[in-house]
Amino acid sequence: MALDEAIFRRSELLLGEEAMSRIAEKRVIIFGVGGVGSWCAESLIRSGIMKLTIVDSDRVCITNINRQLMATTKTVGQVKVDALKERLLTINPSAEITALQQIFTAESAYKFCLEEYDYIIDAIDSLKDKALLILMACQTKAKFFSSMGAALKLDPTKIQVAEFWKVKGDPLARALRNRFKRDKQFPKRKFLCVFSDELLENKKPIDPDDKGNGTIAHITAIFGFMLAGLVVQDAVNA
């Protein structure tokens, strides 16, 4: 039995040979491989995605270890996409993984050739860059899925999926909608988001050198797994 056949034998029992073939043919790009995107990437590779591009400009830092898949005491200082790619290839050495240490901005957007992908996944933190990716992704034929804010949440049962304009209780979604209304630029089509309407408060003042809100692994991982699940479900039903 070939390595790929052995790896995905249990998946094929559930999904069938034709569905696994469709999954393997899909091209996926993930923007942001932190607490949400890293788990999404791993789930996709374990589910049979063979062509994956991961995009992130950062390096692993010590505060990533509590929630980011590839972040360990041994990978601190490494380029995030490189550390994640190395791990993903230990899962499936046959996967075609492109690691781009870049950031999606108005200046760099053209480099990513969004129209070449079947699925575009947004796990970006920056409001400005996230809004731009949403606008541009929704102009392509690719299926687009987006993560709203995963920080300041603890209850996994509150995580859910909704169309962007129906997301409730999420400050990031609200800020994006306000931005679109202010600029009078709106996504060309509907798209699904993973979100939670839970909103807790930080128990300690934010470190000025870090500035990030409190987060925890099971929440960011579930966000990532749900994004991956949306991709797999869509590919299976295509």
Side-chain angles (χ1 to χ4, degrees):
M1 180 180 292
L3 179 61
D4 285 356
E5 293 178 1
I7 291 173
F8 300 115
R9 184 166 59 178
R10 294 297 180 92
S11 300
E12 190 173 318
L13 286 173
L14 176 65
L15 304 177
E17 184 176 352
E18 290 185 9
M20 292 303 297
S21 295
R22 287 198 297 273
I23 291 170
E25 292 171 356
K26 301 301 183 183
R27 291 174 56 87
V28 183
I29 186 167
I30 303 175
F31 288 94
V33 292
V36 173
S38 60
W39 297 95
C40 179
E42 170 135 343
S43 185
L44 289 173
I45 293 299
R46 289 187 185 274
S47 298
I49 289 292
M50 298 292 291
K51 300 172 184 178
L52 178 65
T53 299
I54 50 177
V55 183
D56 199 299
S57 64
D58 290 342
R59 292 178 178 268
V60 177
C61 69
I62 196 73
T63 59
N64 298 153
I65 293 175
N66 82 313
R67 69 196 182 284
Q68 298 187 15
L69 182 72
M70 65 289 173
T72 69
T73 54
K74 292 185 178 181
T75 61
V76 168
Q78 293 182 18
V79 174
K80 283 186 181 181
V81 290
D82 291 344
L84 181 58
K85 177 179 178 178
E86 182 178 350
R87 174 180 170 87
L88 296 178
L89 288 176
T90 66
I91 297 168
N92 184 3
S94 298
E96 299 174 19
I97 300 173
T98 302
L100 302 177
Q101 189 190 9
Q102 299 177 26
I103 187 169
F104 185 89
T105 65
E107 293 72 29
S108 68
Y110 72 94
K111 297 179 181 179
F112 298 103
C113 303
L114 297 180
E115 66 280 357
E116 296 181 356
Y117 293 91
D118 299 294
Y119 296 94
I120 301 169
I121 298 176
D122 159 41
I124 294 176
D125 293 328
S126 164
L127 178 65
K128 178 177 67 173
D129 299 335
K130 193 179 194 76
L132 178 63
L133 177 59
I134 290 171
L135 292 173
M136 292 187 66
C138 288
Q139 293 175 359
T140 72
K141 294 181 180 179
K143 289 291 182 70
F144 174 62
F145 302 116
S146 181
S147 171
M148 295 296 104
L152 297 176
K153 303 177 193 308
L154 185 62
D155 185 350
T157 67
K158 292 184 178 296
I159 301 173
Q160 53 194 300
V161 175
E163 198 282 319
F164 172 68
W165 292 99
K166 295 182 179 179
V167 172
K168 297 181 179 179
D170 181 272
L172 181 54
R174 186 182 308 114
L176 285 165
R177 290 193 289 259
N178 288 339
R179 188 181 187 92
F180 292 143
K181 292 173 183 176
R182 183 200 70 189
D183 297 341
K184 296 182 180 179
Q185 289 184 298
F186 301 94
K188 295 296 185 181
R189 54 184 167 88
K190 296 180 178 181
F191 60 95
L192 295 178
C193 300
V194 178
F195 75 102
S196 167
D197 58 8
E198 181 182 27
L199 188 60
L200 305 177
E201 295 182 355
N202 289 307
K203 299 295 187 181
K204 295 179 63 176
I206 295 176
D207 186 337
D209 295 327
D210 182 12
K211 298 181 181 180
N213 285 308
T215 50
I216 197 163
H218 68 272
I219 295 295
T220 61
I222 294 171
F223 269 63
F225 288 150
M226 290 184 77
L227 287 169
L230 291 172
V231 171
V232 172
Q233 185 174 16
D234 185 82
V236 168
N237 295 326

